[in-house]
C-alpha cells in the first residue's frame, strides 16, 4: 500500500487527491497540503485525511510519495526537496518554463535515486494509448506522419495566460509529449506558425491563441499539431498516426450516443466539455501506473527526459514564431 | 456476350436497361419493349437499341435472355412464354400475388430447363451481402436473431397501393427474402402486427402502412422486420444478424460524409432518398450475377423457390394481421 | 441534505451506497445494512458510515430515506415496513414477481404517503433519455415504432436463473419499462417468442435465453424488444423510436474511440462489458433525481405504477410463450 | 444543348467523355480525339460519337466546347488554339508546370473572351462542398484553421513521377486549390517539409513521397496539408475547417456500411480504392457546373486565377523544401 500526499489542491490537485483516495488500488491518500490552508482543510475533511503545510509533507515519515500539483514556478524547488527527503515523486506538467531548472531538478532526482514520473496524463487515455500500441506492435508499420489536434473549449482568464508561459508551454506541451510518445522517434526540427484569432487581449498579453506546429523526427517522420484556445463545440482532442502499413486514430468521444434524424438533418451529440470529463479514465490509469511503478520498479512511465523534452520543444516553437523560420533541436 | 432484352421499361425496367447497356460486362442490350410504345421508342433511342412489342421478343433469334419488368399481374404469363421460347429469364419481384400461379410459372421454367432468376436486388447490396457472408463463414457463429428495418421515404400513390397486393407483398416481400437470405434457415411461423399511422387513406384502401413482423426459423432463430411507408429522413434500410459468436450489421449510408460541429450540436447528413440512389451498386451486381449464371451455369443466385417463399410469407403475414394470431407455414 | 441508508449491499447495493456517499449532491449516506453482517461492516468501513441490521434502519431517527437493494422476494415486506416508518423509499426492480404483492406494497406506500421511486436506472441514461426527450418535444412527431435491443454479455449462473423469475422478469423487465417510457402510451397487447439457443442448461432450468417481444400500444404504435443472455461482443443496449417526423436513436458507446485502419480492414473498439461500466452515468443521475424528488416534491420519476406495469407485461410475455399466442393486457 | 468534344482520352479523358455522354443534362458529346488514334476510335465507337485529330476539333463548327485532357505539357498550346477558335474551354489540372506559360494561356483566354474552367473536381464533391458551404454561410464563423489530408492508395510508376512535376504539382496541387476554396482567403506564405519514406526510387527520381505543407492565409488563418503517395488502407481524402463558431468536416466514405462485431473487436469497411470510385459524384457535378456556366454565363466555377494560384503554391512548396525555410508568396 503506497502512502501518497498531494501538495497543491487547486483544480487538478484536488482531482488527483480524490482519485488516489477512491479509485486507486494499492494506494492510500494520507495528507493534502496547500498554500491556501482553508482549501487544504476543506479537501482533507471531505476525503477524511490529514492536512499539512507543504514543508511538513517532506518530513512526515508515513508518506511514501508526493504528488506535486502546485503552480509551475514552484515545481523545481519541491522536486528537489522531495528528492532530498527520499520520497517518490509525481510532478504535474510542465516541470518548469526553464530548461536549466529542469536539469537542476532532474539532477536532484538522479542523486537521490527516487522514483519520478511526470503528469502527462494523456499517455494513459485508452484511445490515445491504442494509437501508441498500434505503432509499437508494428500494426501500422513504420511511422510516416502524425496529426494531433488539441483545442480547448474556452480560453483561460487573461491573468492566467500572462503567467502560463504562453500557449506552447501551457497547451502544446501536452502535444509535444504526445508526438514523442506515439511516433517513438526524437524530434530534430520545429516550425511553428501562430496567430491571434480568438481574442485580441491574448495578443496584448504577449501570447497567441491559435497555432500550427510541424515537427520533423529523427526517423524522417513528420508530426503536425494544431491548437486553438477556443473550440465552441467542446474539448477537441484527436491523435492520428499514419504509417507504411496503416493508420491508427484516436477520435473524440461524444457526450452520449443519442442522435435525432429528421427531414433535413441528423443531429448528434457534441464533445465532452473539458479535461475533467474527457480524460477521467486517463487520470485513473495514470495513478495505477504510478503506483505500479513505485511499488514494483522498472522504467518510469513518464521519465525526467519525457518531462524535459517538451519544454525544449516549447521554447523552440516560441523561437520559430519569433523568427519566422524553423528551429533545429538536438534530437529530443 | 449475353444478348438481353427488357420487357417493360417503366421506372425499374428503364433502370435495368441502362445498367445492362452501360455497366454490365459480357452483356449486350439488344431490345426494349413496352405496352406503351412511345416509352419503348424513347428509351430504345437513348440507348441505341431496337424497340419491339413484348411478344416479338420471344420469337427474336438474337435474344438470349429476357428481363421481365412489366406489372406484377403479367409476370406469370410472360415467364411461361419466355420459358417456352427457351430464353433465360430474369423476373422482377413479386413473381405473383398468387402462390398457385407462381407454381404454374415455375413448372414452365422447369419443363423448359431455362436459367431463371428473381430480381431480389438487395441480396447484391455490398453491405447486406457482408452480413450474409459473416453468417456463411461462421464469423458470427450460429444465428440467434435477425433484425431488418425497411422504411420507404414516402408512400406511393393510393391508386398504386390498391393494386400493390398490400404492404406485405409490395414492401415486406424484400424483407422476407432478406430474412431467408441472411439467416439461412427456412421460416416456420409468422406473426404480424399492423397499423394505419401514416395516412388514413391507406387504411381506406384496405391496407396498412406500418408493420412489425416476427418470423420463427426452423433452426430456432427469430427475425424481426419493421416497415413504414414513410420515413421523413430518407430511405431506411438496415439488416442485422446476431449469433453465438458475434453480430453483423449493414447500416444506412449517408448522402455524404460532411458534418458541422457547432456550440449546441453536431449535424450530419441524411440518408439517400430512395432505391435508385441507395441500391445502385446492388443493381449493377445483380446483373453481373445474372450474366455469370446464364453464361457459366450453376445454381440460380435467386431461384424460383426464393421467389415463391416470400409470397407465401406475405400471405401468412396478411392472415396473421387478419386473425391477430401467429400463422404456421410449411418451412419455406 | 437527505440522509439515506442502503438495505442490501450486494453488487448493486454497494454501487448505490458508493454513489450516494461520493457522487450525489444534497445527500448523505448514513448507514448500510445487509443480511451478511461482514459485508455490511466492510462496506461501512470503506465509506465511513454506520452499519446496522435492516430492521434497525426503520427505527433510526437520523434516516430520511431507504434504498431497498435486497433480493427480490424481500422487496414487498421492506417497502411496507419502510412506508410504515415514514421513510422515503427507493426500491430496486422488480418490485416483486407477483402482481398481487406489488399492489399490496403500493397500498402501503399510498397509505403512508411517503415518496416512492423504482430503480429503473436506464431512464436516466443520457442517450436513452435523449430519445424520450425527442418524443416528448415532438421533435420526431407521433410515435409509430420503437425498437429496443438488450443483450447481456454473458448469462448469470444457472442457480441465479432458477430464482430470477425468468428472462422476462429479470432482463426484459427493463425493456418493458423503457418501452413505456419512450413511447409514452400504455401497452395493450404482448406477443413473445422465445428459444433456448445460448445454453441448454437454461432450458433445463425452465427458462429461455433468447426472446423477441412485440408490444402494441394504445395509440397504435408498436414496440419490438429483442433479448439475449449472451452477446460475446459486450453489453448491447440500444433504443430507437421512429415517428411521423423523424427518428431518435440511442446507440451503444464503445470502450474508447481508437481505430486501426489496415490494408484489409478497419478495426474499432468493442462495447463496454457490463452495466456498472455502461450505465455509470444513469446511476448517478438516478440518485440526483431521487434526492431532488424527495426534497422538492412533485411526481415520482419512476412511480409505483411504473414499477407494476413491467411485472404485468413480464407475466403476459411468459403466458404468450406458453400459449404461442398474443396476450391482451389492460392498458398498462 | 452544349456540344462538347474531348481532347485526350486516357484514363481521365475517357471518364469525362463517358460522363458527358451519359450523365450530363443539356450536353452532348460529339467527338473525341487522341494522339493515339486507336484509343480515340475505340472510345468513339463505345460512345457512338465521331473521332478526330485534336486539331480537327478546333475547326469543327458543330463543337461548342472542348475538354482538354491531354498531357500537361500540351495544355497551354491547346488552350490557346481553342481560345482562338472561340470554343468554351475545360482544362484538366495543372494548367502547366510553368507560371509564365499559365499567364500566356490565360491572356489568350481573356483576349478571346471564351468561357474557361479548370478541372479541380474536388470542389464539386458533396462532402467537401458542404465544408465550403459551412464557411460561406458563416455557420462556423470566421475561419481559423484548415486541415487537408490527401493520400493516394499507391504510388504511380516511377516513369510517371519523373514527368509529373513532382508531388506538389501532381498531388498537392489539388490540396492547394482546396485550401483556397474552403478557407476563402489568399495564401501569403508556404512552408513545406518532405521526406522519402514510401519508396527510395521516388527519391532517386528527384521527388519526395511524403509531405506536410503549412499555409498562412491573408486573414491570419492557417492550413495544414499532409500527403502520402501510399495509404495501404485506400484513398484517404479529408477536409476540415475550424472557425470561431464551429467546425466543418468532410470525412472519408467507406466502401459500404457493413460491420462485424466479435468477441475481440469490431471490424468495419475500408475506404474506396481510388479517385474514379471516390470522386464519381464530383465529376458528374463538375460537368453540370461547366454546362450551366457556359450556357448561362456568370463567373467561372474554377477560374483561370484558380488554375494559376496552385501552380504558384506548388513552386513555393518546392522552394521551401529546397531551402528549408518558409517562402512568402504574393497573396494568391
Amino acid at each position: 500500500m503506497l502512502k501518497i500526499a498531494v501538495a497543491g489542491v487547486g483544480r487538478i490537485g484536488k482531482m488527483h487527491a480524490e482519485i488516489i483516495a477512491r479509485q486507486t488500488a494499492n494506494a492510500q491518500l494520507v495528507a493534502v497540503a496547500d498554500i491556501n490552508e482553508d482549501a487544504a482543510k476543506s479537501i482533507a475533511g471531505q476525503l477524511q485525511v490529514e492536512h499539512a503545510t507543504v514543508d511538513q509533507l517532506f518530513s512526515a515519515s508515513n508518506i511514501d510519495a508526493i504528488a506535486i500539483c502546485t503552480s509551475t514556478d514552484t515545481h523545481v524547488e519541491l522536486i528537489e526537496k522531495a528528492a532530498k527527503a527520499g520520497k517518490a515523486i509525481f510532478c504535474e506538467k510542465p516541470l518548469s518554463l526553464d530548461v536549466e531548472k529542469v536539469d537542476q531538478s532532474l539532477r536532484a532526482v538522479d542523486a537521490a535515486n527516487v522514483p519520478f514520473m511526470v503528469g502527462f496524463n494523456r499517455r494513459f487515455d485508452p484511445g490515445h494509448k491504442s494509437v501508441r500500441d498500434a505503432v509499437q506492435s508494428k500494426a501500422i508499420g513504420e511511422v510516416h506522419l502524425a496529426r494531433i489536434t488539441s483545442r480547448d473549449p474556452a480560453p483561460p482568464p487573461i491573468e492566467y495566460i500572462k503567467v502560463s508561459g504562453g500557449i506552447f508551454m501551457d497547451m502544446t506541451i501536452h502535444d509535444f509529449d504526445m508526438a514523442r510518445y506515439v511516433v517513438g522517434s526524437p524530434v530534430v526540427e520545429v516550425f511553428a506558425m501562430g496567430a491571434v484569432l480568438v481574442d485580441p487581449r491574448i495578443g496584448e498579453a504577449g501570447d497567441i491563441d491559435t497555432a500550427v506546429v510541424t515537427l520533423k523526427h529523427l526517423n524522417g517522420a513528420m508530426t503536425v499539431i494544431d491548437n486553438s484556445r477556443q473550440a465552441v463545440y467542446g474539448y477537441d482532442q484527436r491523435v492520428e498516426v499514419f504509417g507504411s502499413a496503416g493508420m491508427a486514430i484516436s477520435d473524440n468521444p461524444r457526450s452520449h450516443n443519442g442522435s435525432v434524424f429528421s427531414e433535413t438533418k441528423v443531429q448528434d451529440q457534441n464533445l465532452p466539455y473539458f479535461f475533467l470529463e474527457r480524460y477521467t479514465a486517463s487520470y485513473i490509469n495514470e495513478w495505477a501506473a504510478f503506483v505500479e511503478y513505485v511499488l514494483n520498479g522498472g522504467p518510469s512511465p513518464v521519465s525526467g527526459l519525457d518531462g524535459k523534452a517538451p519544454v525544449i520543444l516549447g521554447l523552440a516553437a516560441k523561437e520559430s514564431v519569433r523568427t519566422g523560420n524553423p528551429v533545429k533541436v538536438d534530437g529530443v
Side-chain angles (χ1 to χ4, degrees), chain A residues 37-51:
Chain A
E37 205 187 337
D38 287 348
K41 239 186 227 175
S42 152
I43 289 159
Q46 283 167 42
L47 299 175
Q48 299 182 289
V49 300
E50 297 194 25
H51 63 97

Side-chain angles (χ1 to χ4, degrees), chain A residues 89-95 116-121 124 286 300 302-304 306-308:
Chain A
I89 300 168
F90 171 98
C91 186
E92 262 302 326
K93 45 69 36 184
L95 292 183
F116 181 82
M117 173 170 152
V118 186
F120 281 124
N121 64 294
F124 303 94
E286 182 180 51
S300 171
V302 193
S303 71
D306 293 330
K308 176 182 170 181

Side-chain angles (χ1 to χ4, degrees), chain A residues 70 212 224 236 243 266:
Chain A
T70 52
V212 170
V224 177
D236 191 349
V266 178

Side-chain angles (χ1 to χ4, degrees), chain A residues 38-188:
Chain A
D38 287 348
K41 239 186 227 175
S42 152
I43 289 159
Q46 283 167 42
L47 299 175
Q48 299 182 289
V49 300
E50 297 194 25
H51 63 97
T53 65
V54 172
D55 277 336
Q56 289 170 335
L57 300 181
F58 302 120
S59 53
S61 61
N62 68 333
I63 291 174
D64 302 323
I66 294 181
I68 300 174
C69 308
T70 52
S71 62
T72 299
D73 58 346
T74 65
H75 288 175
V76 166
E77 187 195 339
L78 297 187
I79 290 170
E80 290 174 339
K81 286 184 177 173
K84 204 168 291 177
K87 308 297 190 195
I89 300 168
F90 171 98
C91 186
E92 262 302 326
K93 45 69 36 184
L95 292 183
S96 165
L97 303 180
D98 178 334
V99 181
E100 298 279 305
K101 290 196 169 167
V102 170
D103 278 334
Q104 175 187 327
S105 68
L106 295 181
R107 278 192 300 269
V109 168
D110 279 352
N113 197 22
V114 292
F116 181 82
M117 173 170 152
V118 186
F120 281 124
N121 64 294
R122 295 183 193 171
R123 289 185 176 216
F124 303 94
D125 175 70
H128 298 349
K129 187 173 175 301
S130 76
V131 172
R132 151 89 160 194
D133 291 346
V135 171
Q136 287 211 313
S137 69
K138 298 280 179 200
I140 59 168
E142 298 302 317
V143 175
H144 291 181
L145 293 166
R147 302 203 308 164
I148 299 172
T149 286
S150 180
R151 302 170 189 157
D152 281 357
I158 296 296
E159 290 315 306
Y160 174 83
I161 281 183
K162 286 180 183 164
V163 300
S164 69
I167 193 170
F168 295 126
M169 284 306 191
D170 184 47
M171 276 186 70
T172 326
I173 194 126
H174 274 294
D175 308 312
F176 291 132
D177 179 60
M178 187 55 61
R180 294 180 69 250
Y181 174 66
V182 294
V183 173
S185 171
V187 176
V188 296

Side-chain angles (χ1 to χ4, degrees), chain A residues 187-192 214-216 312-313 315-317 319-320 323 325-332:
Chain A
V187 176
V188 296
E189 189 181 326
V190 179
F191 177 72
T214 315
L215 308 177
K216 185 150 227 167
I312 293 172
L313 297 176
L315 293 171
E319 174 75 359
S320 176
T323 61
N325 282 317
V327 172
K328 302 247 187 278
V329 292
D330 196 13
V332 293

